[in-house]
Amino acid sequence: MRLVRIQTLVFSFFTFVATSEAFATSSDTKTKTEAVMMASSPKNPESKEKQDFEIQTWNPLRLLVLKVGLTEPAWTSPLNYQKTKDGVFQCAYCGLDLFNSNSKFDSGSGWPSFWRTTGNVRLVREWDGRVECSCKRCKSHLGHVFLDGPRKTNVDQALIADIPDSDPKGRSEDSPLPRFCINGASLRFKVEED
């Protein structure tokens, strides 16, 4: 386990250095966006995907969470303590709507938690068995999903009908809903306009 942590730290350091070098060596013809995309994109010359969004953040902590996959310390996100207002939680990197405020709940985990997505979250099983959530558009790391969320009887039944098919389901009808345990640094909250 210690070796995995050391490897993660070393990888994080070199990714940070690569990103910094991309900024330092970018010429006048390259924008900051191109420099970050160059540093964080895979070294596959065949993958020439065009970016169809504007980067929303240059905050170093957010970039480490979103692009390197680090986890912010528990209980540090203001979004964890935010009283639910009508609105939507968006990806801090590209601005895509990820979670509605009516699906937020207090899981006691120390990170903002949701029991359903808007359908814009990509799920991938990791090497250690956990399921990672990432943004469908920019593939930024958001957090992880676990099948220990609230019971269906504890949430508004009208909202249960709107759960996207892409969200994980329990094995039985009375299984708990999923708990999307999300880094607050990977989210921005946008209040719904009346």
Side-chain angles (χ1 to χ4, degrees):
M1 188 66 171
R2 178 177 267 175
L3 179 61
V4 172
R5 287 184 182 162
I6 292 171
Q7 287 173 336
T8 303
L9 287 173
V10 169
F11 174 76
S12 302
F13 172 75
F14 285 111
T15 303
F16 179 74
V17 169
T19 305
S20 300
E21 287 176 1
F23 279 122
T25 60
S26 64
S27 65
D28 292 336
T29 59
K30 288 185 181 175
T31 64
K32 280 184 179 181
T33 304
E34 291 171 325
V36 168
M37 294 308 290
M38 178 183 71
S40 63
S41 67
K43 303 295 183 207
N44 182 359
E46 294 176 9
S47 107
K48 301 255 185 201
E49 295 179 23
K50 291 286 185 194
Q51 179 179 316
D52 62 344
F53 58 87
E54 182 179 333
I55 295 177
Q56 303 289 316
T57 187
W58 295 105
N59 179 305
L61 169 64
R62 285 186 179 210
L63 290 174
L64 285 171
V65 170
L66 292 162
K67 292 303 172 188
V68 179
L70 295 183
T71 301
E72 68 185 3
W75 310 106
T76 59
S77 173
L79 295 178
N80 193 43
Y81 307 102
Q82 177 182 5
K83 298 294 182 205
T84 305
K85 303 174 190 169
D86 286 338
V88 65
F89 291 87
Q90 299 176 326
C91 174
Y93 194 74
C94 72
L96 184 65
D97 293 351
L98 301 172
F99 303 97
N100 289 317
S101 60
N102 58 13
S103 65
K104 186 175 186 290
F105 73 102
D106 183 11
S107 67
S109 65
W111 290 277
S113 298
F114 305 87
W115 58 269
R116 102 186 140 118
T117 70
T118 60
N120 293 327
V121 174
R122 186 178 77 126
L123 304 175
V124 176
R125 185 165 302 277
E126 293 183 327
W127 63 272
D128 60 358
R130 295 183 302 165
V131 178
E132 178 194 18
C133 329
S134 57
C135 176
K136 269 192 179 175
R137 180 164 51 189
C138 66
K139 297 179 180 52
S140 292
H141 173 76
L142 302 172
H144 294 87
V145 62
F146 306 95
L147 291 175
D148 61 358
R151 295 275 177 201
K152 291 180 181 176
T153 55
N154 296 344
V155 298
D156 185 358
Q157 297 302 305
L159 297 175
I160 289 186
D162 292 337
I163 295 176
D165 291 335
S166 59
D167 284 7
K169 315 268 186 297
R171 295 177 190 233
S172 67
E173 189 60 36
D174 61 342
S175 294
L177 294 165
R179 171 175 56 100
F180 292 88
C181 190
I182 307 299
N183 289 289
S186 65
L187 297 174
R188 286 184 186 227
F189 182 72
K190 181 179 177 188
V191 177
E192 193 171 89
E193 302 290 327
D194 287 336

